Amino acid sequence: MTLSADLSTLSTPAPLYEQVKKMITDNISNGTWPPNHRIPSEAELVAHLGFSRMTINRALRELTHQGLLIRMQGVGTFVAEPKGQSALFEVHSIRDEILARNHRHHCKIILLAEAQANSEQAAALNLGVGSKLFHSIIVHYENDTPVQIENRYVNPVVAPDYLQQDFQKITPHDYLSRVAPLTEGEHIVEAVLPSAEESQWLHIHASEPCLLIERRTWSKHHNVTYAKLLFPGTRHRLKGHFTS
């Protein structure tokens, strides 16, 4: 494997492992090593840079922990795909977030139907058990990669035409924002493993950790929606900002 020319230009006074990290991040940021590119092995970096294997290993471990690299035992180390990012304390359309990154959004509708509320859904939407609600499951794609499963339950009182919408053209978020403007929301975030079905929809291994956001929203005094948003952990992160 050919190494880029700037591998041998490490002259800063930083610790050796930090110099290696900078070399790798520079190659990623300037496009020399694009996403999914297999970078030189530990042995190749040791031979080329003259640093100890411990130094190289620490640099690779820290960059893997930071999400810039993916290490696959017996295969190699690869540049990770850039993670999408959502605002933790705000509610945005995933379509808008993807387009803001200059990427293409499309979706696959798994389910769009009327259902009866079980105890969990009834409590979340302040309905009686067995009450009518609307249920949709949509997989959202960034370019050609599935990045979110949107499993949503909707109160039909506030969005009676929900099932008649073309969610290939408008997202549920955008439609609901129009008919029942958000006045209050609640987020619960946890790490989970996907079900077998979810791992198939997201094209991930069943052992890959995912981020699950359980979201309830209100419009004035009405419960509007209860959604479970599932993201592959290697493709997404949450960002929050607050002031005191």
Side-chain angles (χ1 to χ4, degrees), residues 94 98 106-108 138-149 198-204 208 230-232 234-236:
I94 188 170
I98 290 172
H106 65 102
C107 68
K108 179 179 180 181
I138 299 175
V139 181
H140 294 276
Y141 290 75
E142 184 162 354
N143 296 328
D144 295 317
T145 302
V147 293
Q148 184 200 83
I149 297 173
E198 290 166 340
S199 63
Q200 290 179 356
W201 290 339
L202 291 172
H203 302 171
I204 60 175
E208 178 174 331
L230 189 72
F231 304 84
T234 57
R235 300 176 194 160
H236 203 79

Side-chain angles (χ1 to χ4, degrees), residues 57-243:
N57 181 268
R58 177 172 179 177
L60 296 179
R61 281 190 293 106
E62 291 194 4
L63 290 175
T64 300
H65 180 72
Q66 293 169 17
L68 292 177
L69 299 177
I70 296 175
R71 307 189 75 183
M72 301 176 66
Q73 187 172 3
V75 179
T77 302
F78 300 83
V79 177
E81 287 276 358
K83 290 188 178 183
Q85 178 170 290
S86 294
L88 177 58
F89 302 122
E90 300 174 16
V91 178
H92 295 296
S93 164
I94 188 170
R95 178 180 181 273
D96 291 343
E97 293 178 353
I98 290 172
L99 294 180
R101 295 191 283 270
N102 295 317
H103 289 176
R104 179 171 51 89
H105 168 268
H106 65 102
C107 68
K108 179 179 180 181
I109 298 172
I110 305 296
L111 175 70
L112 184 61
E114 182 178 311
Q116 291 185 324
N118 63 22
S119 57
E120 175 191 15
Q121 298 146 12
L125 291 172
N126 196 27
L127 299 173
V129 174
S131 296
K132 181 178 78 171
L133 50 72
F134 299 143
H135 185 198
S136 61
I137 302 176
I138 299 175
V139 181
H140 294 276
Y141 290 75
E142 184 162 354
N143 296 328
D144 295 317
T145 302
V147 293
Q148 184 200 83
I149 297 173
E150 175 189 340
N151 188 359
R152 186 183 293 272
Y153 301 92
V154 176
N155 185 345
V157 172
V158 295
D161 297 325
Y162 185 79
L163 298 182
Q164 281 68 57
Q165 304 310 304
D166 183 355
F167 291 125
Q168 298 286 356
K169 296 181 178 179
I170 183 173
T171 65
H173 170 274
D174 291 340
Y175 167 71
L176 292 168
S177 296
R178 188 176 67 212
V179 300
L182 175 69
T183 58
E184 184 180 352
E186 173 188 88
H187 282 163
I188 299 175
V189 183
E190 62 179 320
V192 299
L193 291 176
S195 68
E197 193 170 45
E198 290 166 340
S199 63
Q200 290 179 356
W201 290 339
L202 291 172
H203 302 171
I204 60 175
H205 195 275
S207 62
E208 178 174 331
C210 293
L211 289 173
L212 175 65
I213 301 177
E214 291 192 25
R215 175 184 294 162
R216 292 200 299 161
T217 59
W218 290 261
S219 182
K220 297 181 180 179
H221 302 298
H222 294 286
N223 296 70
V224 177
T225 183
Y226 171 51
K228 296 183 177 182
L229 310 175
L230 189 72
F231 304 84
T234 57
R235 300 176 194 160
H236 203 79
R237 64 179 180 178
L238 299 172
K239 179 181 179 180
H241 177 80
F242 60 90
T243 58

